[in-house]
Amino acid sequence: MTSNVVTPMASTLRRSGEDRRQEIVLTVLALAQARGVEAITTQAIAGHMGLTQGAVFRHFPNKEAIWAAVLDWLQARLAEVFTPRPEATPVTKVKCVFEAYMDLFAAYPAVPRLFFSDTLHHPYPQLHARLQKMVRGCEDILARWLDEAVEAGEARVGASPAMAAKLLLACIQGLAFQSCVLGIVADPVAAGRQLFPLYLAAIGAAKECP
Amino acid sequence: MTSNVVTPMASTLRRSGEDRRQEIVLTVLALAQARGVEAITTQAIAGHMGLTQGAVFRHFPNKEAIWAAVLDWLQARLAEVFTPRPEATPVTKVKCVFEAYMDLFAAYPAVPRLFFSDTLHHPYPQLHARLQKMVRGCEDILARWLDEAVEAGEARVGASPAMAAKLLLACIQGLAFQSCVLGIVADPVAAGRQLFPLYLAAIGAAKECP
DNA sequence: GCTATTAGTAAGTAATCAATTACAATCTTA
DNA sequence: TAAGATTGTAATTGATTACTTACTAATAGC
């Protein structure tokens, strides 16, 4: 007789590690939106994927590594946001980035939730530093474009371009909070369309922007 | 002989319930800043106050009640923020509110942390609704003043006053995030002083503002 | 086709959480 | 001053947490 201890792996689909890691990241995004960042436990992740809790640790050594993978994903999305058409004028680039942000928030409402959550900041100094670096990098790119816009006569910023960049990012973050965390802005894309002209006025740019 | 089971209440200062409730709220603010919102446990609160964990539940029936008390405190601070001099012009009122926000963030960096944390939103629908209501209320007041500003010829908002109000609150929230959560803005008051002129340009107001 | 690696389970770990209980000391007040 | 309400302790509860271990089945490479 064979050892009839149990009959595991009944109908479970076995997948590659790379697949599972991606799936875990997407599951984290889904859970952040559905149940909140604090409710993202390894058990919740495993349950959402139809696996047992221990399986999660086959693919990540600990929870911090999961968060790091989520940050990898987030960084890739942010890189996409900051890839406007190269032939665009500086102000148009800025506008495209703003719109891409709103599209990102509409597509993945979990992103601001993760960004704002203390979980990604206080308990993990390295992740906190990475998030700092990411935002600083975005600010720098925007500041460069705004500088070019002033030089090209496309805008006439009263303050420094760096401050104009900080203002735009602050607006974006505020909108992200209002739409994705607080839920008082139904459609970030529509809200952005109404708000961006005000920013153009702030930097003394024309309203058109093709 | 007396029963020498233990000798409790050795040197502990016994205080009134109202005192303790206030102390707990302030302790929550301190812990939110020092260790992060997620690290605010009843044990941490009690330890910070020099009490045992059970003592916390003498003053609040459960943790949600603690959060609710924190929201009460926050609501009172917000009411102070929205109390400018009545003789001020509309735009000056808006400016005063902006500056009061920055002062609040400088004095209590834990406030944005709490506001942004999922803890106050997802697990407690009632607290979430309260936060929504508070922000909406702030937005409404700002929108009214901006409307008055336009009528008085103090500003010429391109979009609706409601949108101009939403823009200002978004900026405030973004700055709160950058300074108190992300930590890339050292002095929110100084940053605000540099950014507010850009907002004045956005709503077509003069730069002076006494 | 055999073997090593990988992806899974099941069960268990110690730690920590919010909340409860039984009891004691300290106020309040009648 | 006696009685009742209040503020505290100490110990414990059951649930949940991230993470580990021992074992098993599927896959990939030679």
Side-chain angles (χ1 to χ4, degrees):
Chain A
M1 289 294 279
T2 57
S3 66
N4 63 346
V5 269
V6 267
T7 58
M9 308 277 301
S11 64
T12 321
L13 202 45
R14 184 190 162 111
R15 272 183 248 177
S16 82
E18 194 47 50
D19 268 12
R20 287 300 196 195
R21 273 187 285 275
Q22 266 302 312
E23 196 182 353
I24 287 173
V25 169
L26 294 178
T27 299
V28 165
L29 291 170
L31 289 174
Q33 182 60 17
R35 310 191 209 168
V37 180
E38 316 217 331
I40 300 176
T41 64
T42 52
Q43 173 67 276
I45 294 171
H48 189 271
M49 294 171 68
L51 298 178
T52 58
Q53 190 233 356
V56 174
F57 289 95
R58 290 281 146 206
H59 305 291
F60 291 103
N62 49 47
K63 214 180 175 187
E64 182 170 7
I66 299 177
W67 292 126
V70 171
L71 276 203
D72 289 340
W73 181 91
L74 216 159
Q75 201 154 16
R77 298 293 80 68
L78 221 50
E80 289 175 4
V81 165
F82 277 85
T83 312
R85 287 165 288 135
E87 74 274 13
T89 69
V91 168
T92 308
K93 282 180 184 171
V94 171
K95 188 193 179 190
C96 286
V97 165
F98 181 84
E99 287 173 349
Y101 260 115
M102 297 303 132
D103 290 341
L104 179 66
F105 299 152
Y108 299 99
V111 167
R113 233 175 245 277
L114 290 164
F115 231 94
F116 293 145
S117 173
D118 246 0
T119 314
L120 274 286
H121 293 279
H122 233 301
Y124 308 108
Q126 298 205 359
L127 303 184
H128 175 66
R130 258 187 85 179
L131 284 164
Q132 277 190 332
K133 202 174 170 184
M134 282 164 65
V135 172
R136 270 195 235 263
C138 295
E139 214 170 298
D140 289 345
I141 295 174
L142 286 173
R144 204 175 314 135
W145 289 341
L146 287 165
D147 200 33
E148 291 174 16
V150 171
E151 283 197 19
E154 230 190 339
R156 38 181 168 73
V157 186
S160 68
M163 275 300 137
K166 188 172 279 299
L167 178 75
L168 185 61
L169 261 192
C171 294
I172 290 168
Q173 288 154 0
L175 275 175
F177 171 67
Q178 290 189 27
S179 67
C180 300
V181 180
L182 202 56
I184 66 172
V185 168
D187 182 359
V189 177
R193 241 192 293 275
Q194 293 185 271
L195 286 186
F196 194 73
L198 284 167
Y199 179 73
L200 287 178
I203 63 171
K207 267 192 182 176
E208 9 117 21
C209 238
Chain B
M1 291 292 279
T2 56
S3 67
N4 64 344
V5 268
V6 268
T7 59
M9 306 278 301
S11 65
T12 320
L13 202 44
R14 183 192 162 110
R15 272 182 248 177
S16 81
E18 193 48 49
D19 269 11
R20 287 301 196 194
R21 272 186 287 274
Q22 266 300 313
E23 197 182 352
I24 287 173
V25 169
L26 295 178
T27 299
V28 165
L29 290 170
L31 289 174
Q33 182 59 17
R35 310 190 210 169
V37 180
E38 315 217 332
I40 300 174
T41 64
T42 53
Q43 173 61 43
I45 294 171
H48 190 270
M49 294 172 68
L51 299 178
T52 57
Q53 188 234 356
V56 175
F57 290 95
R58 289 282 146 209
H59 306 289
F60 292 102
N62 49 47
K63 214 180 174 188
E64 182 170 7
I66 299 178
W67 292 126
V70 172
L71 275 203
D72 289 340
W73 180 92
L74 216 159
Q75 201 155 15
R77 299 293 79 70
L78 221 50
E80 289 174 6
V81 166
F82 277 85
T83 313
R85 287 164 289 137
E87 74 273 14
T89 66
V91 167
T92 307
K93 282 181 185 171
V94 170
K95 187 192 180 191
C96 288
V97 165
F98 181 85
E99 287 173 350
Y101 260 115
M102 298 301 130
D103 290 340
L104 179 66
F105 298 152
Y108 300 99
V111 167
R113 234 174 244 277
L114 289 163
F115 231 94
F116 293 145
S117 174
D118 246 1
T119 314
L120 275 286
H121 292 281
H122 234 301
Y124 306 110
Q126 298 203 0
L127 303 184
H128 175 66
R130 259 188 83 179
L131 285 164
Q132 277 189 332
K133 202 175 171 182
M134 284 164 65
V135 173
R136 270 195 235 264
C138 296
E139 213 171 298
D140 289 345
I141 295 174
L142 286 173
R144 204 177 313 132
W145 288 341
L146 287 166
D147 201 31
E148 291 173 17
V150 171
E151 283 198 21
E154 229 190 340
R156 41 181 166 73
V157 186
S160 69
M163 276 298 135
K166 187 172 281 296
L167 178 75
L168 184 62
L169 261 193
C171 293
I172 290 169
Q173 289 154 358
L175 274 175
F177 170 66
Q178 289 189 26
S179 66
C180 300
V181 180
L182 203 54
I184 64 172
V185 167
D187 182 359
V189 177
R193 241 191 294 274
Q194 292 185 271
L195 285 185
F196 194 72
L198 284 167
Y199 179 74
L200 287 179
I203 63 171
K207 268 193 183 178
E208 7 114 24
C209 237

